[in-house]
Amino acid sequence: MSDQYAVIGNPIGHTKSPLIHGLFAEETRQDLSYTAVEGPLEPQGAFAETVRAFIANGGKGMNVTAPFKLQAFAMADERSERAELAGAVNAMKFEGGRIIAENFDGIGLVRDIERNLGLPMAGKRVLMLGAGGAARGALLPFLAAGPAEMVIVNRDVEKAKALAATVGGRGALLACAYRDLETMGRFDLVVNATSASLTGGLPPVPPSVFSPEGAAYELAYGKRLTPFLRLARNAGVRTIADGVGMLVEQAAEAFDWWRGVRPETRTVINRLTVPLD
Ligand code: ATR
């Protein structure tokens, strides 16, 4: 039987992961099967049972998506520093009866920005909107990329401050409120890590933060021109992107971690890209 992998979430019907990993397996000639599993929302403990049953059936690894990233974190035997900081897990590897947990969301985002969009973050001014799970996952890989300055802004400022405090001393990092942005000048990269776009909302970000030569990145994907991306475009920002590249790059990280082979991502990104307009 081929090695078994799966993505677990609820709902899971929309997932692109089986398609992405199927294409990776084909390209790298790896013999594996990758399916989608709808995880149980209740009773408590049912998620962990489902994962353990998958392992008992010979499962080698799983991706984890909403709403199970915290439960996966809790049931892991070992966690990477990235997963620890994110407080969430998006990939698990099952080895010798142990569950090893990772979070590749942030590193996938950095790879997409730096390699695919061609925007190295070193020495740049970076603004991240939001201080929830998505922002937490991105923070450490962002700081590792060496921006000159990184600012986290959130409606609930205390949450942004608490997040900044968890990584204190790793780089020039500041937490602030949206109104403070009015006087902070332009940023080379503005990343929308809020969940606003999922409901068609727009974080109260002033257009003055955008730099025409810079970039605006929307973590959501397949939502076309979200209010955030539209604001950026109207401000003259040259490079605007949604999260399709991040999705494929985090999958490539997991694939490499599981199989020891790095798949090519460009053709898969092209295949999944939904035009913004
Ligand atoms: P996720 O895991 O997607 O990050 P989350 O942990 O629930 O989801 O966090 C949602 C984030 O989006 C928060 O930073 C939230 O801001 P607050 O903490 O101030 O609530 C932010 N958010 C959601 N809707 C928003 C909106 N319309 N404008 C600005 N920020 C918004």
Side-chain angles (χ1 to χ4, degrees):
M1 194 168 68
S2 359
D3 289 344
Q4 307 286 308
Y5 296 86
V7 57
I8 184 164
N10 190 323
I12 199 64
H14 63 284
T15 185
K16 302 276 183 235
S17 294
L19 171 63
I20 296 170
H21 284 278
L23 292 168
F24 286 168
E26 209 176 287
E27 181 228 323
T28 59
R29 297 171 188 265
Q30 294 281 304
D31 183 18
L32 59 85
S33 111
Y34 189 110
T35 52
V37 174
E38 187 176 278
L41 296 175
E42 50 186 15
Q44 215 191 346
F47 166 77
E49 266 172 42
T50 306
V51 172
R52 295 204 184 282
F54 185 76
I55 299 171
N57 283 330
K60 298 273 193 249
M62 266 182 156
N63 280 124
V64 184
T65 188
F68 299 122
K69 290 185 177 186
L70 302 182
Q71 289 183 61
F73 181 91
M75 77 179 294
D77 297 302
E78 279 173 48
R79 303 177 199 108
S80 70
E81 192 191 15
R82 283 189 289 254
E84 286 286 353
L85 181 80
V89 157
N90 94 320
M92 299 190 283
K93 178 151 79 174
F94 311 129
E95 232 171 47
R98 294 177 70 73
I99 299 175
I100 307 163
E102 258 290 5
N103 189 319
F104 294 123
D105 286 333
I107 199 167
L109 173 59
V110 171
R111 258 178 193 275
D112 189 40
I113 292 168
E114 297 208 317
R115 299 208 180 169
N116 302 334
L117 301 180
L119 300 163
M121 274 193 250
K124 298 287 167 44
R125 294 192 83 208
V126 176
L127 172 63
M128 183 146 68
L129 317 182
R136 226 172 23 237
L139 193 52
L140 205 55
F142 264 39
L143 289 174
E149 185 186 0
M150 169 129 193
V151 175
I152 308 174
V153 63
N154 200 44
R155 290 183 307 196
D156 177 350
V157 190
E158 291 312 314
K159 217 160 120 187
K161 285 188 179 156
L163 178 55
T166 59
V167 292
R170 287 182 198 249
L173 182 62
L174 188 80
C176 72
Y178 280 97
R179 63 175 176 280
D180 300 329
L181 293 174
E182 305 274 0
T183 55
M184 291 178 79
R186 291 174 167 179
F187 290 83
D188 302 296
L189 172 67
V190 183
V191 176
N192 185 12
T194 73
S195 53
S197 305
L198 302 180
T199 51
L202 174 67
V205 58
S208 57
V209 298
F210 294 108
S211 161
E213 307 77 41
Y217 196 105
E218 172 73 77
L219 287 203
Y221 69 94
K223 303 250 168 234
R224 296 184 175 257
L225 206 58
T226 60
F228 167 75
L229 290 179
R230 183 167 289 122
L231 185 74
R233 176 178 277 178
N234 289 343
V237 177
R238 192 187 307 156
T239 307
I240 60 172
D242 75 0
V244 64
M246 170 190 180
L247 177 73
V248 176
E249 293 295 344
Q250 66 74 28
E253 289 291 331
F255 193 91
D256 191 353
W257 186 54
W258 289 327
R259 310 297 299 181
V261 189
R262 175 161 285 278
E264 195 267 319
T265 51
R266 187 74 259 167
T267 44
V268 182
I269 292 174
N270 288 345
R271 182 152 165 183
L272 291 185
T273 296
V274 177
L276 292 175
D277 291 297

